[in-house]
Amino acid sequence: MARTGLKIAGVIVILAGLMLVATAGALYWLFTKAPAIEDKSVLVVKLCGEVPECGTDMLRGGPFGKAPVSMWDIRDVLQKAAADSRIAAVWIWIDYPVIGWAKAEEISEYLDEFRKSKKPAVAYLNAADERSYMIALSCDSIFAPAEAFVEMNGLATQVTHLPGLLEKLGIKVQFERFGKYKSVSGEKYGRKELTEPVREMINSLLDGEFDVLLSRICDRRRMQRDRLIEFLDQGNFWARYSIAAGLVDADKDEIAVEDYLKQKLGVEEKLNIVQAESYREVPREDVGLGGGANRIAVVYSAGMVMQGGGGFNPVFWETEQGSDPVVKALQKCVDDESTKAIVFRVDSPGGGGFGPEIICNKIVEVQKKKPVVASMSDYAASGGYWISMPARKIVAQPSTITGSIGVWGIFPDFTGFNEKLGLTIDVLKRGSRADMLLANRPLDEGERELFRKGILDMYNSFVDGAARFRKMPREKMEEIAQGRSWLGRQAKDNGLVDALGGLDVAIDVAKKEAGIEGPVDLWLPGAKSWYENLAEKFSLAGRETSLAAIGEEVQELERRINAVRIYAADPQRIEIR
C-alpha cells in the first residue's frame, strides 16, 4: 500500500513538472511571438534608464520580466524598420537615458542609416541632456513640451575623493600607481585631490568631447559656434529656451507629436504604434534581411573585468564581468564550424586580478583558428583595453574612452578604525611578514616595496603586451601608456585602435579578415536560452538564507575585497555630462 502511494506521488510530481515546463513554454511562445504589424505603423523606441549593450537573456517577456531595450535591439529594430514597408516612421522617445557618449554616437549612426530609407524620424524630448540631445540631432524633427527638462549648459565631470572620509573612520590608505596619468579612480580612493597630470588628462577629454558636441550641433542645426557657446553659458535647462534658440523645433507634448505624425503619414484615425520591445521579435527574414551561410559571432564583455563568474563588486559598487562566461562564449565560437569570425564587443571601464589576462590569453588561443575583431563601446579602458588589445583589429567610436594602460593599487591600514571600535587584535605568526596582508597595521618600508614591485610587474606586463599586440616599439608604447585615457579618435591617431565606428563597422572588418563576401548571420554565443533563464529564476527563488549560507556570502565578499586590494583593480569610469 505504501509503495502504491509512493508511485502515485511520483507520477503526480512528474506530471506537475511536465505541466510546469509546458506552461513555461506556452508563456514563452505567447510573449515572444512576432507581433502583427499594420500598414503605416510608427515604431517607437523609448530611451530611458540604463541602455545595456545586449539583452542576452533570450526570455523577453511574460511573468519572468521584460528585458530592457538594448543597443543590440536598437540596431536591429532600426534596420528592420528601414526595410519594412509596414513601418512608415520612427519616433524616438528620449527620457534621460543613462548612456555614454560612444553609445549616443552609435545610436545616431543607426538613425542616420535609417533616414536613408526616406522615412521620417521624429525625436521627442521628455527629459534630456547633451548626450541624449546628440541622438535627437539625427532625427528630421525635434519636439519637446516647453516645460520639459532639457539640460543644455555645457559639460562637466567631478571626482569625489574618499581618503578624507576614510581618515575620519580611522582608515589610512597606502596608494601606489605606475603611469603618471593613472588614474581618476585611483586618485579617488588614494588621494584627496587630483594630481596635475590627471587633471590635464580630464581636461583633454572634456575639450575633445565639447568640441564634438559644438561641431555636431552647429552642423545639424545650422548655428554659429559663438552663438551656441553663448547659449550654453546661460545655463538653460528648460525646453522653452532651447525652442527659442532653435535647438528644438516646436513646443509639442506627446499627443501633439502623435497628431503631427498622423498628419504627416495621412492617417485619419488612430495611429498604429509599435513598441521596440515588441518589434524586436519580428524575424529579420520577414523583412528581407536574412543572413548568409556564414556566421559571425558577437561576444560581449560589459562591466569591470574580474576573474570567475562575475557578479556585484562591493568595492566599486558595480556589476563585474566575470572571465568565465566570456571564455565559455569564445570556446563556443571555436567549436561552431559555421562561425568564421568573432566580433568582441567591449564596454568595460577596467578590471583587476587575473581576469583581464585570462580573457586576453583566450583570445590569443582563439585567433589561431578564427579572427577576432574588437568593437569598443563607451569604455574599453585599463582592463577593458587589456582584453581588447590581442584582437586582430580594434574598432572604437570617436568618443570611446580607451587606453589607460597603467596600474594602481591601494592598501588599507585599519589600525585607527579598530581603535575607534575598541577592537584589540592579537596576531600570532610564523614568518616576519606573515601578517602584512591582514591590514591591521601599516606596511613597513620593505613591505611597501614588495607592494610596489607587484604593481610595477603588472604594469610592465601590460605595456609589453600592448606593444607586442599593436606591433609598436616598447619605448613608443611607454609614451602613449602612462595610464592615460584617450578618446577613440585620439587613440586611433596614437595607434591604439585601427578604425572608427560602431558594431557594423566592426562586422565589416571581421568579414574582411575572414574573407567573407555578402550577408552573414549574426549570433550571440553568450545568450541564455529560455530554459536556462527559467532554471535560474527558480534557483534564485529558492535561494538559501540560513546563517551558514550568509556566512559563505560574507566570506566571498571578503575574498573579492582582498583580490582587489592585492592585485590592483581599476574602473576607469570618467563621467562627462
Side-chain angles (χ1 to χ4, degrees):
M1 189 72 177
R3 289 182 178 178
T4 301
L6 287 173
K7 288 181 180 180
I8 294 173
V11 170
I12 292 173
V13 169
I14 292 172
L15 289 174
L18 291 172
M19 289 179 63
L20 179 62
V21 172
T23 302
L27 287 170
Y28 172 73
W29 175 84
L30 177 65
F31 288 101
T32 62
K33 68 176 182 178
I37 310 297
E38 300 180 28
D39 288 338
K40 292 188 177 181
S41 290
V42 174
L43 172 66
V44 175
V45 181
K46 288 192 175 182
L47 301 177
C48 59
E50 294 283 348
V51 181
E53 272 297 320
C54 179
T56 54
D57 175 358
M58 300 303 287
L59 190 59
R60 298 288 196 182
F64 309 107
K66 182 170 286 188
V69 174
S70 65
M71 292 294 292
W72 177 270
D73 294 327
I74 293 168
R75 171 187 177 274
D76 178 59
V77 299
L78 289 177
Q79 288 181 352
K80 289 188 298 192
D84 192 342
S85 61
R86 300 167 298 179
I87 300 294
V90 163
W91 181 355
I92 304 297
W93 179 299
I94 294 174
D95 192 8
Y96 226 81
V98 182
I99 57 173
W101 289 94
K103 282 193 177 79
E105 283 176 334
E106 189 145 354
I107 295 172
S108 297
E109 290 167 4
Y110 295 147
L111 281 166
D112 287 341
E113 194 65 27
F114 167 81
R115 289 177 64 192
K116 292 179 181 179
S117 67
K118 306 301 181 183
K119 300 176 183 180
V122 172
Y124 170 73
L125 309 182
N126 200 57
D129 61 3
E130 291 85 356
R131 282 173 295 189
S132 45
Y133 179 75
M134 285 267 285
I135 297 171
L137 286 170
S138 287
C139 295
D140 300 281
S141 302
I142 304 174
F143 301 123
E147 301 306 316
F149 183 84
V150 178
E151 179 186 356
M152 297 294 290
N153 56 359
L155 306 182
T157 186
Q158 65 176 13
V159 180
T160 302
H161 298 270
L162 300 181
L165 170 63
L166 297 177
E167 284 179 6
K168 291 182 181 296
L169 298 174
I171 302 172
K172 294 182 179 179
V173 173
Q174 293 165 290
F175 171 53
E176 298 290 349
R177 72 167 174 210
F178 285 93
K180 65 179 180 179
Y181 297 101
K182 195 70 175 182
S183 71
V184 175
S185 48
E187 298 199 346
K188 172 181 178 178
Y189 293 97
R191 295 179 58 88
K192 290 183 179 179
E193 60 182 12
L194 297 174
T195 57
E196 281 308 310
V198 173
R199 193 179 295 274
E200 172 197 340
M201 177 184 70
I202 295 175
N203 277 320
S204 173
L205 297 175
L206 272 170
D207 287 341
E209 211 56 75
F210 193 54
D211 182 66
V212 169
L213 177 68
L214 295 176
S215 298
R216 186 170 174 83
I217 293 175
C218 290
D219 178 59
R220 296 290 174 116
R221 304 303 291 186
R222 303 189 182 282
M223 195 172 190
Q224 293 296 318
R225 194 180 183 96
D226 291 344
R227 180 173 164 239
L228 176 58
I229 292 174
E230 181 182 351
F231 173 78
L232 295 175
D233 285 343
Q234 293 171 8
N236 296 307
F237 51 84
W238 298 119
R240 62 176 176 270
Y241 297 110
S242 293
I243 295 169
L247 298 177
V248 174
D249 292 303
D251 171 10
K252 291 184 185 293
D253 61 18
E254 57 189 286
I255 297 175
V257 173
E258 188 167 339
D259 290 338
Y260 169 84
L261 284 168
K262 285 170 63 177
Q263 182 179 6
K264 194 170 187 64
L265 301 178
V267 175
E268 296 182 359
E269 298 181 356
K270 184 178 179 182
L271 192 66
N272 299 321
I273 296 293
V274 180
Q275 299 291 341
E277 291 89 339
S278 298
Y279 191 64
R280 64 186 173 188
E281 305 302 339
V282 172
R284 293 176 68 86
E285 293 78 5
D286 287 3
V287 296
L289 295 178
N294 296 310
R295 298 215 291 178
I296 289 181
V298 182
V299 175
Y300 283 85
S301 175
M304 194 169 74
V305 184
M306 299 293 283
Q307 184 178 1
F312 182 71
N313 187 293
V315 180
F316 301 111
W317 208 254
E318 63 178 289
T319 300
E320 64 185 31
Q321 171 65 67
S323 58
D324 290 353
V326 175
V327 169
K328 183 179 178 181
L330 288 169
Q331 187 58 48
K332 281 185 180 180
C333 301
V334 173
D335 296 339
D336 183 73
E337 293 184 1
S338 62
T339 296
K340 304 304 180 184
I342 301 159
V343 172
F344 186 38
R345 178 74 169 183
V346 178
D347 190 18
S348 300
F354 297 121
E357 188 173 2
I358 289 170
I359 294 176
C360 179
N361 291 339
K362 183 63 178 179
I363 291 177
V364 172
E365 176 190 324
V366 169
Q367 292 231 87
K368 295 175 182 177
K369 299 182 178 180
K370 300 178 181 182
V372 177
V373 173
S375 170
M376 295 177 169
S377 184
D378 282 334
Y379 294 96
S382 193
Y385 189 79
W386 195 316
I387 63 177
S388 304
M389 64 186 185
R392 190 171 297 182
K393 298 291 183 182
I394 300 176
V395 180
Q397 285 288 1
S399 294
T400 296
I401 293 180
T402 187
S404 189
I405 301 170
V407 182
W408 66 269
I410 56 173
F411 199 97
D413 170 18
F414 286 93
T415 303
F417 182 72
N418 293 336
E419 290 176 356
K420 285 179 180 292
L421 295 182
L423 299 175
T424 57
I425 298 175
D426 287 325
V427 176
L428 307 177
K429 61 182 180 179
R430 298 294 183 272
S432 61
R433 293 193 170 116
D435 63 335
M436 66 175 285
L437 300 181
L438 299 182
N440 291 317
R441 63 172 177 81
L443 298 174
D444 62 32
E445 285 303 315
E447 292 164 344
R448 185 76 177 258
E449 186 57 33
L450 286 172
F451 184 49
R452 283 178 54 83
K453 184 179 184 303
I455 296 175
L456 177 59
D457 288 344
M458 182 176 286
Y459 174 72
N460 286 330
S461 177
F462 197 172
V463 175
D464 289 343
R468 183 174 71 256
F469 289 123
R470 299 304 299 168
K471 296 180 174 57
M472 186 183 297
R474 211 258 187 206
E475 296 76 18
K476 183 179 179 182
M477 179 57 72
E478 179 72 43
E479 294 176 7
I480 298 170
Q482 291 296 321
R484 179 159 186 163
S485 293
W486 304 94
L487 293 177
R489 59 184 174 278
Q490 298 170 330
K492 183 177 183 297
D493 292 339
N494 289 325
L496 294 178
V497 304
D498 298 292
L500 297 179
L503 184 61
D504 284 325
V505 172
I507 291 168
D508 288 339
V509 172
K511 286 171 62 177
K512 183 177 180 181
E513 291 295 319
I516 300 173
E517 295 183 359
V520 293
D521 181 32
L522 300 181
W523 73 294
L524 305 174
K528 297 176 184 176
S529 68
W530 71 271
Y531 177 79
E532 290 172 320
N533 183 75
L534 180 62
E536 186 176 295
K537 297 288 184 183
F538 278 104
S539 172
L540 290 174
R543 187 176 181 179
E544 189 177 352
T545 56
S546 65
L547 287 176
I550 294 173
E552 290 178 3
E553 291 188 7
V554 171
Q555 288 179 340
E556 172 65 13
L557 176 66
E558 182 180 10
R559 184 195 68 76
R560 289 188 183 179
I561 293 174
N562 285 336
V564 170
R565 182 187 69 201
I566 296 170
Y567 297 119
D570 185 15
Q572 184 69 349
R573 195 178 293 281
I574 303 172
E575 179 98 14
I576 297 175
R577 60 179 301 276

